[in-house]
C-alpha cells in the first residue's frame, strides 16, 4: 500500500517493497524452564514483585518512553522497571526511582 501511495504522489517507480515481519528465531532462542526463571528472579531480587521490562535503542521515541517510565515508576513502587538497551544510557547519571534499573546493552552471545 505504501508503494501505491508513493506512485500516486510521485509517479511511476521501479522501487520494490519487501515486508519483513517482526518475530523471533525460536530455533536460536534457548528455552528456560520455569524453575530456572524463578531462580534468576530470586537472584536479581525480583521474586514476588511485579516486573515491567522496556527494551530499546538510543532513539528519540525510545528516550521519550524511558522518561515517561521514570515518571510512572515514582507512582508505582510495587513494580520494578527494567530498562534494557542503549535507551537507558542518557539517564545513567540522573537520579532514578529506587524501583528502576538501567541494565544496559544485551550481547548477542
Amino acid at each position: 500500500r505504501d508503494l501505491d501511495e508513493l506512485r500516486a504522489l510521485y509517479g511511476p517507480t521501479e522501487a520494490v517493497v519487501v515486508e519483513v515481519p517482526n518475530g523471533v528465531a525460536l530455533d536460536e532462542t534457548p528455552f528456560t524452564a520455569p524453575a530456572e526463571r524463578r531462580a534468576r528472579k530470586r537472584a536479581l531480587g525480583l521474586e514476588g514483585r511485579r516486573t515491567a521490562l522496556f527494551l530499546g535503542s538510543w532513539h528519540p521515541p525510545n528516550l521519550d518512553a524511558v522518561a515517561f517510565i521514570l515518571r510512572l515508576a515514582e507512582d508505582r513502587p510495587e513494580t520494578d522497571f527494567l530498562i534494557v538497551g542503549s535507551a537507558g544510557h542518557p539517564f545513567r547519571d540522573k537520579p532514578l526511582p529506587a524501583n528502576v534499573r538501567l541494565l544496559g546493552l544485551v550481547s548477542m552471545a
Side-chain angles (χ1 to χ4, degrees), residues 56-77:
S57 62
W58 189 320
H59 178 60
N62 293 338
L63 302 182
D64 292 343
V66 172
F68 176 78
I69 290 167
L70 296 180
R71 291 189 305 274
L72 185 71
E74 292 176 0
D75 295 330
R76 291 176 175 70

Side-chain angles (χ1 to χ4, degrees), residues 31-45:
F31 176 76
T32 304
E36 176 64 18
R37 291 181 206 166
R38 285 189 296 275
R40 290 180 183 185
K41 280 190 86 168
R42 191 175 321 111
L44 292 170

Side-chain angles (χ1 to χ4, degrees), residues 26-102:
L26 293 176
D27 57 333
E28 297 175 18
T29 305
F31 176 76
T32 304
E36 176 64 18
R37 291 181 206 166
R38 285 189 296 275
R40 290 180 183 185
K41 280 190 86 168
R42 191 175 321 111
L44 292 170
L46 300 172
E47 186 177 40
R49 291 185 51 80
R50 180 173 291 176
T51 305
L53 173 71
F54 178 83
L55 184 136
S57 62
W58 189 320
H59 178 60
N62 293 338
L63 302 182
D64 292 343
V66 172
F68 176 78
I69 290 167
L70 296 180
R71 291 189 305 274
L72 185 71
E74 292 176 0
D75 295 330
R76 291 176 175 70
E78 74 285 353
T79 302
D80 289 312
F81 293 85
L82 309 179
I83 311 296
V84 178
S86 58
H89 289 183
F91 303 90
R92 287 183 292 200
D93 297 326
K94 299 186 184 311
L96 300 173
N99 57 334
V100 173
R101 296 186 197 181
L102 303 178

Side-chain angles (χ1 to χ4, degrees), residues 3 6-7 12-18:
L3 190 53
L6 289 172
R7 281 189 189 115
T13 179
E14 295 181 24
V16 176
V17 172
V18 177

